[in-house]
Amino acid sequence: MNETYIMPDYEIVRNAERCVRCMACVRLCANGAHIFDEKRGVLTADDSKCVNCHYCVANCPTKAIKIVRSDHCFKPSANYTEDVIKDIYRQADTGGVLLSSMGTTKSYPVYWDKMLVNASQVTNPPIDPLREPMEIRTFLGKKPETVKYRADGRLEAETHPNLMLKTPIMFSAMSYGSISKNAHIALARAAEELGTFYNTGEGGLHEDLYQYGANTIVQVASGRFGVHPAYLNAGAAIEIKMGQGAKPGIGGHLPGSKIGEDVSRTRMIPKGTDAISPAPHHDIYSIEDLRQLVFGLKEATDYKKPVIVKIAAVHNIAAIASGIARSGADIIAIDGFRGGTGAAPTRIRDNVGIPIELALAAVDTRLRDEGIRGRVGLVAGGSVRSSADVVKAIALGADAVYIATPALLAMGCHLCRSCHGGKCNWGIATQSPELVARLDPDVARERLVNLVTAWSREIMEMMGGMGINSIEALRGNRLMLRGIGLTQKELDVLGIRHAGE
Amino acid sequence: MDEEYDNVPVRDELREGNVRIPSGCAVFGCLSRSGRRMSASGAVDAMTYMHDRSNGLGGGFAGYGIYPDFPDCYAFHVFYDNEHAREETESFLKARFDISGMERIPTRKVYGIRGAPLVWRYFGVLRPEIAAHTPLDEEEYVCRSVIHINTKIKGAYVFSSGKNMGVFKGVGYPEDVGEYYRLGDYSGYCWTAHGRYPTNTPGWWGGAHPFNILNYTVVHNGEISSYDANRRFIEMYGYKCTLQTDTEVITYIIDYLHRRRGLTLPDVAKVIAPPFWSQIERMETSERERYTLLRNMYASLLVTGPFSIILGYSGGMMALNDRLKLRGMVAAEKNDVTYVASEECAVRAVCPEPDRIWYPAGGEPVIVELTEGNGK
Ligand code: SF4
Ligand code: SF4
C-alpha cells in the first residue's frame, strides 16, 4: 500500500518497556508491517502496511502494541475531506476503480436505531421467558392457502417445501474463495448445531462440506461457479443471487490471488484467474426469465427444495419483489445497501441502493396490499447488527434475517476492511494456508453458536416484554414499533407511528 | 356511570376506529343444549355479580333463537346518530332486501345510560333478483352490505346482522344496558354477555361488545399483543378493521377460518391458540402433521396476549382462553345448560349448584352445541 502522496492512516505504537523482543509480531503480520532491522538490531514498523486488524495486538504476549489513528492531517475541510482527497490521489496513482471491503462507512441513517420497541404494562402482562415457553421456531417458504378435510377427518393441503429454523437467524452468503475453508466449516457446523442455515455464496461447495447439506443453502449466481446437479441437490434450499446490497447492479469479483488449487476445483475455473461474475444472469433479462430459472432449479431438484431469490434493495424494490413473489420463488431475500462484501467498487458500495429497513417495510406492505404475502417467505439482511435489529426486522414484516458481518466478527474479524487483499491475518478472508490455519474451525464454531444463542435469548426477552410468546405474533406486528426522530414520510414508509402517538 | 367520566364528551377522533383502545372486561355465556329458550335475565344477573370488572363504558348481550317469528330473516340492528342516516340506510336496505318488519327497538329510560343513539331493527331476506345476479354467495353479500353501511353511511352503524339472533349493546354497565333494552322480554337458547373496562375515556355505542358479523358474535376479555400481526394478515382477505379493537379482529379471524375456509371450530381454536411446538413434537404422527400444518399455514392468525373469548354462532357456543391462560375463565354444567364466565361467582349467581364446574386449560376450547333435532 505504498501510495504516492498518502500518509498512513494508522500508527503502530510499541511500548519499548513492555516489549520482550519475542518477534511474534514480525512473524505474524501477513502485511509485513512489523520489521526487525538486523543491521541496526532494532524492532521497527512500516505504518503504511498496517491495515489495523489488531492481530499483532491480540497476540503480543506482553500487550506492548497498540494501533492509533494517525494525527497527521490535511487542512480541514467539510467538503474536501481527508477521505475524498486520498481517494483522488489513489485513482491518480492507478487509474483504477476504487475497491473496498465490508459495508459502507458513510454516515447514512440507520433506521434500526430510530425505532423503539414496545413492552407490556398493566393491561397486558409481560411473559417471563425463564418461566413460560417462548417460541422462536420459524418456517420459511410458501404457505398453503386452502385446506380440505378428507373423509377420515384428516387435513389435506397442497404442500410446499419449507425451511425450518430453530431461530430466525441465518448466516448469509459468503463464498468459499472470498472466505477460507475453515471459516466455511465453522459456519456449517454452527448452523447445524443451531438448527439454522448457512449459505455457500457463489463459489460452489467444497466436497468436504457436503456432509452439512441439511443446513446448507446453495447459491446460484450469475457466474454459475461450481454449479452442477450434485451441488444443487446437496443443500436444503437453493438461492438465486440476483444482487447484493453492497453492490447492486454488478457481479461478484474474486481476485486471482485467492484462487488456488481447492478454490479452483470447487468453482470449476482455472487457477489464478480472476473470477468475475457478470452483472446480470445472462439467461435472466426479465421476470419471465427468472421464472424459468426458478422452475429449472426446481426440476433439477424434484420440487423438494425451496428456491430463494436474493435481491439488492433498490429504489423500485416493492414492485420487483411483487414480481418475484409471482415467479414461483418460495422465499425472497432482500439485502440492504449497508450490507457487507468481500470486495466491491467503493463508489457503488457507498452510493447505490437503499436501506434494508425501508426496503423491507415497503416490500411487506406491498405484498400484503396485493394479498400475496403468504406466497413467499421474506428474509432481511444487509446490516443486521444485534438482536434488537432482528426484533425490529421481524416486526416490520420479515420472517427471518441473514447475518454475515456479525458472524465474521464472532470468528475473530476486526473489520479492518481489507478482505479484498487476501491477507486476512485472522484466517477468514484469505486462502493462504498459513493464515487459514490460524482459524480453528471448532473454536470459531463455538463462538458463532454463542453469538446466535445470545441473540436468540435476547429476542425471547424482548418478545416476552411485549407479551408475545410466539414469533409469528411478532411478524409484521408494526404496532410494536415506534419511530423516534423520523419525518412523517419516513414513518409512512416504515408503516409505524411516532413515539408518543 | 363513574363520575370521573361524567361530562367527558366523546370526541369523534377518540371513537373506536380512530384510536386503539385496550380494555379489560367480564364475559359470560350460557347455552341450553336441548334448545330450551331461556330468559335473558339470567345473563343480566350473572353480569351484575361481575360489576367491578366493568367500568360503565360498555356492556352488551347477544341472544340466539330470540326471533322465532322471523327465523329465516336477517335481523339488522342499527344505531343512528340522526334521522338522515336512518333514511339513507333504509333506502339502501330496501333496495337489497325484502323487509318484512321494521321498528324502533323498545327501550326504557335507565339512570346511567346516556348518549343513546336511535336504535332500530329490520327483518329481511335478500331480494331474489339480487341473489340471482351477485357473483358473491349470499352471506358474503350480506356481510359486504353491512360493511358498506358502516363505512360509507355517516352516522349509521349496523351492530347485529344474523338470523334469529340479535345483539343488544351500549355504553353503561351491562346490567343497565340489559334494563335499557328490556331484555327480560327476550328469551333464547343461548346468551353471551360482556362488560367492558376500556382503559381510555371514549365510550361509543358501536364500540361496545358483543361484536357481530352475520351469525357470529364475539365477546372478549383481554388485550392481545399480536393485534397488528393478525390485523395485517386478515386485511389481505378483504376485511377492514375499522374499529381497531381486539374483538373485531378475532371475529374476522373466526369468520375467515370457519365460514370462508371451512375449518371446524376445534381446528379454528387450534389456529388461534395452537399447541406449543414442544407439545406438537410429542404427538403421534397424524396429530403432529395436522397441528404442524395448521400452525405453519395460519401462523399469522395465532393470537397471543391474555384473552378469554366466547364465540356465539348459530346453534352453538365456543369458549377459548389464550394458551397460557392469562385470563380467568370457568365453565360449568347443570342439566342441559352449559355456562362459561370470567368468574365462578357469575355462574353461581344463576346456577348455585352446578353438576360440574371446571377451569378449561389454556388453548382448550369448550364447544357446546344444540343436540340433534333441537331447532335453532
Ligand atoms: S496489519 Fe494487523 S497484524 Fe499487522 S501490524 Fe497492523 S494491526 Fe498488527
Ligand atoms: S475478514 Fe479479515 S480482512 Fe476482512 S475485515 Fe475481517 S479481519 Fe479484515
Side-chain angles (χ1 to χ4, degrees):
Chain A
M1 275 214 196
N2 261 325
E3 293 156 310
T4 334
Y5 299 156
I6 299 183
M7 280 294 288
D9 290 337
Y10 309 101
E11 280 171 29
I12 301 168
V13 180
R14 193 185 324 275
N15 183 321
E17 247 168 56
R18 289 198 205 154
C19 176
V20 292
R21 295 164 70 95
C22 69
M23 304 295 159
C25 52
V26 179
R27 283 191 310 275
L28 291 177
C29 181
N31 301 307
H34 294 275
I35 301 161
F36 181 63
D37 184 335
E38 309 234 347
K39 261 194 227 143
R40 293 193 293 141
V42 289
L43 189 50
T44 152
D46 179 351
D47 291 340
S48 69
K49 293 193 168 135
C50 177
V51 298
N52 193 4
C53 73
H54 296 186
Y55 195 73
C56 54
V57 177
N59 284 284
C60 172
T62 59
K63 298 276 166 279
I65 306 169
K66 67 175 176 183
I67 313 294
V68 297
R69 184 162 177 72
S70 170
D71 55 9
H72 168 79
C73 64
F74 289 88
K75 274 198 170 177
S77 159
N79 190 20
Y80 275 91
T81 60
E82 187 176 328
D83 288 345
V84 174
I85 297 170
K86 283 184 173 173
D87 281 348
I88 290 173
Y89 287 156
R90 280 191 190 107
Q91 293 194 292
D93 268 352
T94 64
V97 170
L98 293 169
L99 277 189
S100 292
S101 310
M102 307 310 283
T104 184
T105 54
K106 300 272 183 268
S107 62
Y108 288 105
V110 177
Y111 288 96
W112 301 133
D113 296 339
K114 293 169 189 254
M115 287 186 277
L116 299 171
V117 173
N118 192 29
S120 302
Q121 295 288 291
V122 186
T123 54
N124 178 344
I127 301 168
D128 184 344
L130 296 175
R131 293 175 173 82
E132 305 282 354
M134 190 57 69
E135 302 189 303
I136 57 169
R137 179 182 298 197
T138 298
F139 284 88
L140 259 186
K142 221 186 263 303
K143 312 278 180 229
E145 281 237 335
T146 52
V147 49
K148 280 203 294 280
Y149 287 93
R150 292 205 311 232
D152 62 359
R154 292 208 187 176
L155 293 174
E156 194 179 285
E158 87 276 30
T159 49
H160 306 283
N162 271 219
L163 293 180
M164 199 267 273
L165 283 61
K166 288 200 179 143
T167 179
I169 303 167
M170 303 190 291
F171 300 123
S172 68
M174 289 178 277
S175 70
Y176 173 49
S178 80
I179 62 171
S180 65
K181 184 175 159 197
N182 281 358
H184 251 204
I185 297 175
L187 287 165
R189 291 187 185 157
E192 186 177 53
E193 193 171 330
L194 289 162
T196 181
F197 299 85
Y198 86 107
N199 187 313
T200 61
E202 65 165 328
L205 183 62
H206 192 282
E207 59 235 25
D208 294 353
L209 275 87
Y210 274 68
Q211 54 179 307
Y212 306 106
N215 296 89
T216 305
I217 296 169
V218 295
Q219 200 181 61
V220 173
S222 59
R224 299 285 197 273
F225 301 126
V227 176
H228 49 82
Y231 168 77
L232 295 177
N233 281 287
I238 303 171
E239 179 172 278
I240 302 173
K241 177 193 176 185
M242 295 305 301
Q244 183 178 342
K247 43 180 166 177
I250 62 165
H253 180 181
L254 187 66
S257 61
K258 276 181 152 179
I259 302 182
E261 190 65 51
D262 259 13
V263 174
S264 128
R265 206 177 44 250
T266 308
R267 291 208 174 205
M268 308 192 302
I269 54 169
K271 243 171 83 173
T273 51
D274 282 7
I276 300 179
S277 35
H281 286 245
H282 282 307
D283 50 0
I284 305 181
Y285 282 31
S286 70
I287 195 88
E288 312 86 82
D289 294 345
L290 173 67
R291 187 179 172 82
Q292 290 200 15
L293 180 59
V294 168
F295 282 97
L297 294 172
K298 282 181 178 277
E299 283 289 337
T301 52
D302 221 6
Y303 292 84
K304 288 208 181 91
K305 304 186 192 286
V307 172
I308 306 169
V309 174
K310 175 177 175 174
I311 38 170
V314 291
H315 300 180
N316 204 16
I317 186 77
I320 296 165
S322 150
I324 296 173
R326 296 168 205 275
S327 74
D330 300 276
I331 299 163
I332 302 177
I334 314 169
D335 199 18
F337 94 124
R338 295 193 313 271
T341 169
T346 311
R347 294 294 169 249
I348 289 186
R349 182 194 72 171
D350 291 345
N351 294 283
V352 179
I354 63 170
I356 183 60
E357 303 91 325
L358 302 178
L360 167 63
V363 168
D364 180 72
T365 302
R366 171 68 76 95
L367 295 182
R368 286 172 196 263
D369 287 349
E370 295 180 3
I372 55 174
R373 176 64 182 83
R375 285 204 203 167
V376 281
L378 209 49
V379 181
S383 199
V384 172
R385 306 153 306 161
S386 71
S387 59
D389 294 355
V390 180
V391 165
K392 292 168 190 176
I394 294 176
L396 282 179
D399 290 277
V401 301
Y402 261 148
I403 61 167
T405 302
L408 293 179
L409 290 170
M411 289 195 279
C413 163
H414 275 57
L415 269 190
C416 69
R417 308 198 292 264
S418 316
C419 317
H420 54 292
K423 289 197 266 183
C424 174
N425 267 320
W426 294 90
I428 300 169
T430 177
Q431 298 301 328
S432 128
E434 321 75 78
L435 298 178
V436 175
R438 292 178 182 181
L439 184 73
D440 179 332
D442 274 308
V443 172
R445 169 200 52 94
E446 194 186 331
R447 294 179 60 83
L448 287 165
V449 170
N450 283 346
L451 177 77
V452 175
T453 307
W455 284 21
S456 304
R457 289 202 180 116
E458 290 172 339
I459 292 169
M460 294 194 232
E461 288 284 349
M462 276 184 269
M463 279 168 52
M466 287 180 256
I468 286 175
N469 62 5
S470 160
I471 194 103
E472 38 277 55
L474 177 62
R475 187 178 314 134
N477 195 337
R478 296 196 186 165
L479 264 187
M480 290 295 158
L481 298 174
R482 288 289 189 277
I484 181 97
L486 294 176
T487 64
Q488 189 55 49
K489 193 73 203 170
E490 290 168 316
L491 294 167
D492 291 347
V493 175
L494 290 166
I496 62 174
R497 300 198 194 147
H498 201 272
E501 270 193 284
Chain B
M1 167 137 307
D2 287 355
E3 290 186 353
E4 58 184 304
Y5 292 124
D6 276 351
N7 307 318
V8 177
V10 181
R11 284 184 286 137
D12 240 13
E13 66 271 22
L14 288 183
R15 277 188 174 189
E16 282 80 355
N18 296 321
V19 290
R20 196 171 128 68
I21 306 159
S23 54
C25 308
V27 295
F28 174 84
C30 58
L31 179 136
S32 154
R33 286 183 305 282
S34 63
R36 191 163 51 81
R37 294 178 62 215
M38 305 173 285
S39 159
S41 38
V44 177
D45 284 350
M47 292 311 287
T48 313
Y49 278 77
M50 295 190 288
H51 180 89
D52 284 356
R53 297 186 70 94
S54 317
N55 67 356
L57 289 183
F61 299 81
Y64 287 82
I66 58 169
Y67 295 132
D69 296 343
F70 299 94
D72 299 318
C73 290
Y74 292 97
F76 298 105
H77 293 190
V78 193
F79 290 138
Y80 295 121
D81 286 349
N82 52 55
E83 286 295 333
H84 179 76
R86 180 166 76 89
E87 281 156 27
E88 204 179 326
T89 305
E90 285 177 359
S91 72
F92 179 89
L93 283 174
K94 283 176 182 161
R96 289 158 181 83
F97 295 87
D98 282 327
I99 303 291
S100 44
M102 56 185 276
E103 61 175 341
R104 259 190 106 132
I105 294 184
T107 54
R108 87 165 49 94
K109 276 194 178 155
V110 177
Y111 174 77
I113 297 285
R114 343 161 286 182
L118 308 169
V119 202
W120 280 71
R121 71 182 154 209
Y122 307 85
F123 297 97
V125 292
L126 193 60
R127 287 177 165 246
E129 67 272 23
I130 288 191
H133 286 116
T134 168
L136 305 170
D137 73 37
E138 180 179 321
E139 290 189 321
E140 191 61 29
Y141 185 88
V142 174
C143 187
R144 293 199 191 179
S145 303
V146 169
I147 292 172
H148 178 93
I149 296 172
N150 291 352
T151 53
K152 297 276 155 49
I153 303 185
K154 201 170 156 23
Y157 186 77
V158 180
F159 62 101
S160 186
S161 55
K163 286 181 177 173
N164 199 6
M165 58 79 65
V167 169
F168 303 89
K169 63 183 184 182
V171 173
Y173 282 100
E175 57 273 25
D176 296 337
V177 171
E179 179 78 6
Y180 176 77
Y181 281 107
R182 318 171 64 116
L183 282 190
D185 299 349
Y186 297 82
S187 53
Y189 63 82
C190 172
W191 287 98
T192 65
H194 188 261
R196 191 159 184 237
Y197 201 129
T199 49
N200 208 325
T201 51
W204 170 52
W205 283 55
H209 302 192
F211 187 80
N212 162 272
I213 177 171
L214 297 168
N215 287 323
Y216 299 108
T217 56
V218 171
V219 291
H220 156 261
N221 166 23
E223 181 193 339
I224 61 176
S225 37
S226 53
Y227 175 78
D228 219 29
N230 303 143
R231 175 188 70 83
R232 296 184 68 232
F233 182 85
I234 204 72
E235 287 195 345
M236 284 203 289
Y237 298 94
Y239 298 91
K240 197 89 200 73
C241 294
T242 48
L243 294 184
Q244 299 188 34
T245 62
D246 295 347
T247 320
E248 176 187 48
V249 79
I250 291 173
T251 309
Y252 290 157
I253 290 173
I254 293 171
D255 180 66
Y256 174 73
L257 293 173
H258 190 232
R259 180 174 67 88
R260 289 181 45 189
R261 287 286 170 231
L263 287 191
T264 62
L265 281 173
D267 283 339
V268 170
K270 293 298 176 192
V271 168
I272 295 176
F276 292 100
W277 288 115
S278 55
Q279 294 170 313
I280 293 177
E281 263 157 27
R282 290 195 298 271
M283 293 173 178
E284 44 110 357
T285 323
S286 71
E287 291 280 279
R288 189 170 62 234
E289 283 171 4
R290 177 184 211 94
Y291 292 124
T292 304
L293 175 69
L294 286 175
R295 246 197 107 158
N296 185 15
M297 193 166 166
Y298 296 119
S300 297
L301 297 181
L302 181 152
V303 178
T304 61
F307 66 83
S308 55
I309 56 174
I310 304 174
L311 165 75
Y313 56 98
S314 181
M317 168 176 95
M318 174 174 86
L320 181 68
N321 258 147
D322 65 274
R323 48 195 201 146
L324 293 181
K325 200 164 172 84
L326 296 171
R327 280 286 189 272
M329 180 149 73
V330 60
E333 265 171 16
K334 175 89 180 177
N335 302 327
D336 67 326
V337 184
T338 303
Y339 302 89
V340 282
S342 298
E343 291 183 21
E344 190 175 327
C345 65
V347 173
R348 300 239 181 231
V350 283
C351 173
E353 297 291 339
D355 300 335
R356 178 159 99 95
I357 188 154
W358 76 100
Y359 290 83
E364 288 303 326
V366 175
I367 299 175
V368 279
E369 299 197 337
L370 295 177
T371 42
E372 213 63 52
N374 289 313
K376 292 172 182 178

